[in-house]
Amino acid sequence: MSPALDDTSRLCIHTITTKPWNVEQAIDAYSQAGVGGITVWREALKDRKPVQVGERIRAAGLSPVSLCRGGFFPAIEPSVRRHAIDETLCAIDQAAQLGAPLLVLVCGADAGQPLSESRRQITEAIAEILPHASACGVRLGIEPLHPMYADARSAINTLEQANDLCEQFDSQSLGVVVDVYHLWWDPHLKREIIRCGQGGKLFAFHICDWMTPTQDLLYDRGLMGEGCIPLQQIRNWVRAAGFTGFHEVEIFSLRHWARSQDDFLDDIIQAYLEYA
Amino acid sequence: MSPALDDTSRLCIHTITTKPWNVEQAIDAYSQAGVGGITVWREALKDRKPVQVGERIRAAGLSPVSLCRGGFFPAIEPSVRRHAIDETLCAIDQAAQLGAPLLVLVCGADAGQPLSESRRQITEAIAEILPHASACGVRLGIEPLHPMYADARSAINTLEQANDLCEQFDSQSLGVVVDVYHLWWDPHLKREIIRCGQGGKLFAFHICDWMTPTQDLLYDRGLMGEGCIPLQQIRNWVRAAGFTGFHEVEIFSLRHWARSQDDFLDDIIQAYLEYA
């Protein structure tokens, strides 16, 4: 193959994608496969020092792309909201210790209150954590989630909403994570990707695919090419918006987690090269 | 109870809601319970003459509100698109025979082609069937479906899209079906409901609820009050938009279908009265 055809230097993999591996196994395997970047699922840091995990990532020749995730801000109970903010402040510290330039925010929702109230609480929480993120040199990326998660995972469900939210704050530390799984259906996607990029707010780009039929609301994402998302088209919009960062594979899949993760990693790289 | 508190004259039930009952059982049961309207699932007409079903509906004191459903227009294969149009023309005839003033359109999508192409094919198909609907005195209601159905069930996923689509046609026979299940998450819902009503395009209003967690993408809808949809708020917007028609219960639920349908009907009426 020509160099262009096996260039995985802009490929990043999110450790949740290879969930059966612990973070050390993932670092070693991604590195050996020539993957360029790694995003760390926050639970993968359990019983570990983020500084040491960061050192291991860099020693393996990988770039730490982001820590995932903070957020889940809305709640009827003030004490629960307080806890979510404190946890996210802690996640910002962990991202800094890891050397990850970005903390992904899954903003949250409380099914017991109106979405408008959840959205208000999200804005309030971001206002509170943003100064700490700036001080730590960690950027915050609002990830709009698919509307099927509006009840309990995120009240931010379109890229337009995420862009609007960013515009409420005048901060270079706040931007957006574009994930094709959540946004591919949106008739305004191209417009909002361009808007996001032109505003300097496109902080990360996540890829996977949408299976037909989808068997599970949470754990049935597809590998690129297995589903119906027009990946090249969206990738072209993201590039046109000026994004030059990593293309990050994030796949929650019971099906793929049940496989040999070595085989799955081979398939991820193959799918990425066909897509890239 | 005061008359206002047990008024079910504007309550309509979609026969799929009580799927274990055939259409005759549904007609009898809804009528005895004082329900005002009925929407007929097209499959429920199998081996029956729509004219006779319509007579039975009216004899039972029920209003036929709509026939559900035509559509599924997009397809890569032209012959499949042709078949969908022919089937929907047939459904228009059946609605007329039934005496139902409205045919609900679930517009369809083909996972093998871009959404933009599916959307183009939907517009093309509506242009072809609309004259026949007008001639038959049957209105067509575009039902935007939740984005989680964008792969294979509908490429029309927001009320804004449905409103835009209607505006492409200058026809009193084409409007929109607002279903809270599909649209509740949309940050522009109020704006688009008002727009829809002011344009005289709000043809039907479907209610149910969104369960947390939702166990199944298709068959886990909730009864009003079981989930997190702000039903009163959306109902108020629909009323403010000038809608005075039936409030139609449409629930696809393995859980409720497994129960005694008599008990379920009691619960539907109770939930409706608490909501109304």
Side-chain angles (χ1 to χ4, degrees), chain A residues 72-95:
Chain A
F72 289 92
F73 300 120
I76 293 173
E77 280 297 318
S79 63
V80 178
R81 295 204 296 278
R82 183 70 254 160
H83 180 71
I85 288 174
D86 290 341
E87 272 299 307
T88 304
L89 289 170
C90 170
I92 291 168
D93 293 335
Q94 289 180 314

Side-chain angles (χ1 to χ4, degrees), chain A residues 111 115 119 146-148 150-152 157-158 160-161 184-185 187-188 210-212 214 216-217 228, chain B residues 111 115 119 146-148 150-152 157-158 160-161 184-185 187-188 210-212 214 216-217 228:
Chain A
L115 282 170
R119 287 162 184 163
H146 195 283
M148 70 184 175
D151 58 337
N157 306 107
T158 65
E160 183 184 24
Q161 279 182 291
W184 74 277
W185 58 271
H188 297 308
W210 181 282
M211 303 301 293
T212 301
T214 290
D216 187 284
L217 274 85
C228 65
Chain B
L115 282 169
R119 287 162 184 164
H146 195 284
M148 71 183 174
D151 58 336
N157 305 106
T158 64
E160 183 184 24
Q161 279 183 290
W184 72 278
W185 58 272
H188 297 307
W210 181 281
M211 303 301 294
T212 302
T214 290
D216 188 283
L217 275 84
C228 65

Side-chain angles (χ1 to χ4, degrees), chain A residues 24-251:
Chain A
E24 291 80 15
Q25 290 173 306
I27 292 167
D28 293 348
Y30 299 173
S31 169
Q32 280 164 29
V35 172
I38 185 169
T39 275
V40 178
W41 187 239
R42 195 170 169 225
E43 279 68 20
L45 293 177
K46 192 163 181 285
D47 304 325
R48 290 166 175 83
K49 290 192 164 57
V51 168
Q52 290 178 354
V53 174
E55 284 167 1
R56 184 165 180 150
I57 287 172
R58 283 182 294 277
L62 292 165
S63 293
V65 172
S66 64
L67 178 66
C68 188
R69 59 201 183 181
F72 289 92
F73 300 120
I76 293 173
E77 280 297 318
S79 63
V80 178
R81 295 204 296 278
R82 183 70 254 160
H83 180 71
I85 288 174
D86 290 341
E87 272 299 307
T88 304
L89 289 170
C90 170
I92 291 168
D93 293 335
Q94 289 180 314
Q97 291 157 13
L98 194 67
L102 176 69
L103 175 68
V104 177
L105 295 182
V106 171
C107 291
D110 187 322
Q113 67 186 12
L115 282 170
S116 55
E117 178 59 15
S118 287
R119 287 162 184 163
R120 198 191 61 72
Q121 292 173 357
I122 289 166
T123 308
E124 207 170 69
I126 290 175
E128 183 165 344
I129 64 171
L130 194 50
H132 185 63
S134 296
C136 293
V138 172
R139 303 202 293 180
L140 302 176
I142 299 163
E143 182 168 10
L145 254 55
H146 195 283
M148 70 184 175
Y149 302 129
D151 58 337
R153 280 185 172 73
S154 182
I156 307 298
N157 306 107
T158 65
L159 185 50
E160 183 184 24
Q161 279 182 291
N163 283 336
D164 288 349
L165 191 46
C166 282
E167 286 184 1
Q168 290 187 47
F169 296 91
D170 183 23
S171 170
Q172 294 189 333
S173 297
L174 185 66
V176 174
V177 176
V178 168
D179 185 319
V180 298
Y181 190 76
H182 299 301
L183 304 176
W184 74 277
W185 58 271
D186 185 347
H188 297 308
L189 185 56
K190 181 182 179 183
R191 179 190 80 192
E192 294 297 324
I193 283 176
I194 301 298
R195 175 186 168 200
C196 187
Q198 286 178 342
K201 296 298 184 189
L202 214 170
F203 284 2
F205 181 51
H206 292 183
I207 55 175
C208 67
D209 217 332
W210 181 282
M211 303 301 293
T212 301
T214 290
Q215 308 284 357
D216 187 284
L217 274 85
L218 285 172
Y219 304 122
D220 192 24
R221 299 194 190 189
L223 184 62
M224 299 82 75
E226 287 187 321
C228 65
I229 298 178
L231 286 161
Q232 270 89 0
Q233 184 181 52
I234 299 175
R235 178 204 65 194
N236 290 345
W237 295 339
V238 164
R239 285 182 182 162
F243 182 79
T244 57
F246 286 91
H247 293 220
E248 176 172 342
V249 177
E250 182 188 45
I251 301 173

Side-chain angles (χ1 to χ4, degrees), chain B residues 142-215:
Chain B
I142 299 164
E143 182 170 8
L145 254 55
H146 195 284
M148 71 183 174
Y149 303 128
D151 58 336
R153 281 184 171 74
S154 181
I156 308 298
N157 305 106
T158 64
L159 185 50
E160 183 184 24
Q161 279 183 290
N163 283 337
D164 287 348
L165 190 47
C166 282
E167 285 184 1
Q168 290 186 47
F169 297 91
D170 183 22
S171 171
Q172 293 189 331
S173 296
L174 185 65
V176 174
V177 176
V178 169
D179 185 319
V180 297
Y181 190 76
H182 300 301
L183 304 177
W184 72 278
W185 58 272
D186 186 347
H188 297 307
L189 185 56
K190 180 182 179 182
R191 179 190 81 192
E192 293 298 323
I193 284 176
I194 300 299
R195 174 184 169 203
C196 187
Q198 286 179 342
K201 296 298 184 189
L202 214 170
F203 284 1
F205 181 51
H206 292 184
I207 55 175
C208 67
D209 217 332
W210 181 281
M211 303 301 294
T212 302
T214 290
Q215 307 284 357

